[in-house]
Amino acid sequence: VTHPKSNDEIRSRALEGLTIIHASLLKLVSNPECPASQNNLFIGGFIAIRALNTGCYPSLGHLIQNQYSARYDVHQGSCSGILCARIMDYHCDESKEYQQRIAKALGNENANAGRLVRDLV
């Protein structure tokens, strides 16, 4: 979403995917075996990954893939999510507008997007 080669269409699709992922993960916390939430998690991931594979490095897609790994106790996924949040914090001034869109997709447009990503992981 914050990648310089991204555009509004790519960002919109990626954020749509992130919104679906966020809602699905929240539902899975209270009901980990919910088939609809599990399916929606993968649908959101596909939307985000597909959007970001069109013209720019899929960093958000990489984060999402690693979240799946973290769901199954694979340490590398958690580390990548935390690293992504730190990178976002590092360049928050340069990508402020886009990070506000990420924060909105994660349900709190006034919060720090890096922290929301960290909390998501």
Side-chain angles (χ1 to χ4, degrees), residues 9-87:
E9 181 183 359
I10 291 170
R11 289 181 184 107
S12 294
R13 281 193 266 152
L15 292 170
E16 174 189 356
L18 180 58
T19 301
I20 294 168
I21 290 164
H22 182 243
S24 301
L25 285 173
L26 291 176
K27 290 177 183 176
L28 286 169
V29 168
S30 61
N31 185 4
E33 301 304 320
C34 176
S37 295
Q38 291 173 355
N39 288 338
N40 287 337
L41 181 67
F42 285 97
I43 290 168
F46 179 82
I47 292 169
I49 291 166
R50 181 67 189 108
L52 293 168
N53 276 334
T54 53
C56 60
Y57 176 74
S59 56
L60 181 59
H62 189 222
L63 166 66
I64 293 164
Q65 292 168 356
N66 288 328
Q67 288 176 14
Y68 296 153
S69 296
R71 164 85 164 78
Y72 297 104
D73 285 334
V74 177
H75 184 260
Q76 190 265 339
S78 295
C79 289
S80 292
I82 297 300
L83 180 60
C84 178
R86 290 182 181 201
I87 291 168

Side-chain angles (χ1 to χ4, degrees), residues 1-2 15 18 88 92 95-114 116:
V1 173
T2 62
L15 292 170
L18 180 58
M88 290 173 68
C92 66
S95 60
K96 184 176 183 173
E97 174 189 350
Y98 304 125
Q99 290 201 33
Q100 287 174 331
R101 292 181 189 183
I102 292 169
K104 184 177 180 181
L106 292 173
N108 188 349
E109 62 187 299
N110 297 317
N112 177 290
L116 292 174

